[in-house]
Amino acid sequence: MLTPPPRFPLAVLPTPLVLAPRLSAALEREVWIKRDDLIGFAFGGNKVRALEVLVAEALDERCDHVVGCGGPASNLCSALAAAAATAGLGCTLVLHGGEPGVTHPNLAMMRAFGARIFFTGDPDRASTPEHAAAAADRLRSRGRHPYVVPRGAASGPGATAYALAAQELASQLTFRPAHVVAAVGSGGTLAGLLAGWATFDLPGTLVGVAVSRPLAETRREVIRLSCEAASALGIGGPEIDRLRLLDGLGAGFGRADRTTSDAARLALRTEGIIADTTYVARAVAALESLGGPLVLWHTGGWLSCVGDAMGAGHG
Ligand SMILES: *Cc1c(COP(=O)(O)O)cnc(C)c1O
């Protein structure tokens, strides 16, 4: 039997599932959009679902502080800072690199929500979790009780939130999609959806567009997190043959190329849909290679899109 995790309420659910008629006409196939960009909390997009579970866990463990890591353009870090404020928790964010020349809107919001911010001085994205662990140790030595949020909020418990999102989609579908498509970074979102896919009897394939890491590595991570989420929920393991991954790395993580920028413009100008070039526009670009009907899982990234328009760079 499915045991849903405790959640600290942040999101406005369910998010709408809407037909995109002009995007459908432009791509000559039926496209629906699952609007997690309208999640209703702090421009947070998909990250808000995971944060509901992680913040509940932090409160349950009687923590008084959250520690997160990422880059100056991180959607997770900015949503985490907001969630910490809502829950009355302190927030420390460890960001790779140094203070950027142009302040990304997500960095501006991290500060606006009252988070304390440290730059590692190391441009390597992969080194931030170590620095976050050290920041948590420093907090403990001062008598605080920090909760460390994993990179990308990607953990088994965090991913359970998207297994429940698969149930939410199943309850909204009035047609049988051939493919449901989402951008994949740390993998937690797709992992959770995959965990819920068979349990909630969703049709078609779940297509992930890998924007952050090479395909094989992304696949391993998605499957690992999906198994963890399924076991946390007490449901059967994921049906891996329902999963398909496409390469969306292009010029590299956060580096827009022509195809991505064109896809972002298409979404903006056909539907007024905000698609950032790091994540969502790459999922939009992938639609062309897939037969319909399609569901594009819009994972958010509004402030990244504002950053794109300002030329702030994803960093
Ligand atoms: C983080 C993020 C993703 C990727 O989600 P993961 O769970 O890290 O794979 C996709 N889109 C947006 C806008 C994001 O912020």
Side-chain angles (χ1 to χ4, degrees):
M1 211 191 69
L2 179 118
T3 35
R7 288 199 272 185
F8 181 80
L10 298 168
V12 181
L13 300 177
T15 59
L17 174 69
V18 298
L19 179 65
R22 280 162 299 277
L23 185 59
S24 298
L27 294 174
E28 296 175 344
R29 72 212 69 190
E30 193 174 310
V31 181
W32 293 70
I33 307 182
K34 175 64 173 156
R35 302 280 315 258
D36 270 13
D37 59 322
L38 297 178
I39 200 112
F41 182 77
F43 314 109
N46 62 337
K47 301 306 183 302
V48 178
R49 292 186 189 265
L51 286 174
E52 288 197 324
V53 175
L54 299 184
V55 168
E57 199 166 76
L59 294 172
D60 185 56
E61 292 172 15
R62 306 204 177 283
C63 296
D64 54 17
H65 209 99
V66 288
V67 178
C69 61
S74 165
N75 296 315
L76 169 66
C77 287
S78 130
L80 176 59
T86 305
L89 299 168
C91 181
T92 297
L93 299 171
V94 177
L95 308 181
H96 62 67
E99 179 77 44
V102 180
T103 301
H104 192 279
N106 270 320
L107 177 57
M109 291 311 294
M110 292 175 214
R111 292 200 165 110
F113 289 126
R116 247 158 301 170
I117 291 164
F118 295 100
F119 287 96
T120 63
D122 180 351
D124 180 14
R125 285 195 288 149
S127 73
T128 51
E130 283 163 46
H131 289 275
D137 284 340
R138 287 196 298 276
L139 285 161
R140 276 185 210 102
S141 72
R142 286 192 263 126
R144 308 296 297 268
H145 299 287
Y147 179 93
V148 180
V149 172
R151 203 171 147 202
S155 66
T160 60
Y162 303 103
L164 301 176
Q167 181 177 34
E168 184 180 299
L169 176 66
S171 72
Q172 291 173 313
L173 284 175
T174 53
F175 59 99
R176 289 181 68 81
H179 306 283
V180 176
V181 187
V184 183
S186 62
T189 302
L190 201 74
L193 292 175
L194 180 65
W197 215 248
T199 304
F200 301 115
D201 206 20
L202 279 150
T205 51
L206 182 60
V207 180
V209 181
V211 307
S212 170
R213 285 180 279 188
L215 273 187
E217 191 184 334
T218 302
R219 188 177 170 81
R220 267 197 309 277
E221 199 52 15
V222 167
I223 292 170
R224 182 183 71 78
L225 288 164
S226 191
C227 292
E228 282 186 29
S231 94
L233 285 167
I235 57 178
E239 273 186 18
I240 291 161
D241 58 349
R242 305 293 291 282
L243 174 68
R244 183 163 155 202
L245 285 169
L246 301 175
D247 189 352
L249 201 48
F253 179 70
R255 295 217 176 107
D257 51 27
R258 181 68 185 273
T259 311
T260 309
S261 303
D262 285 351
R265 194 172 308 112
L266 180 70
L268 283 158
R269 298 190 182 179
T270 53
E271 299 285 346
I273 288 282
I274 294 170
D276 70 295
T277 57
T278 302
Y279 293 106
V280 178
R282 294 176 192 229
V284 174
L287 300 178
E288 246 173 348
S289 66
L290 300 165
L294 297 169
V295 175
L296 168 70
W297 202 297
H298 195 317
T299 41
W302 283 3
L303 292 179
S304 296
C305 190
V306 175
D308 290 346
M310 287 167 52
H314 197 269

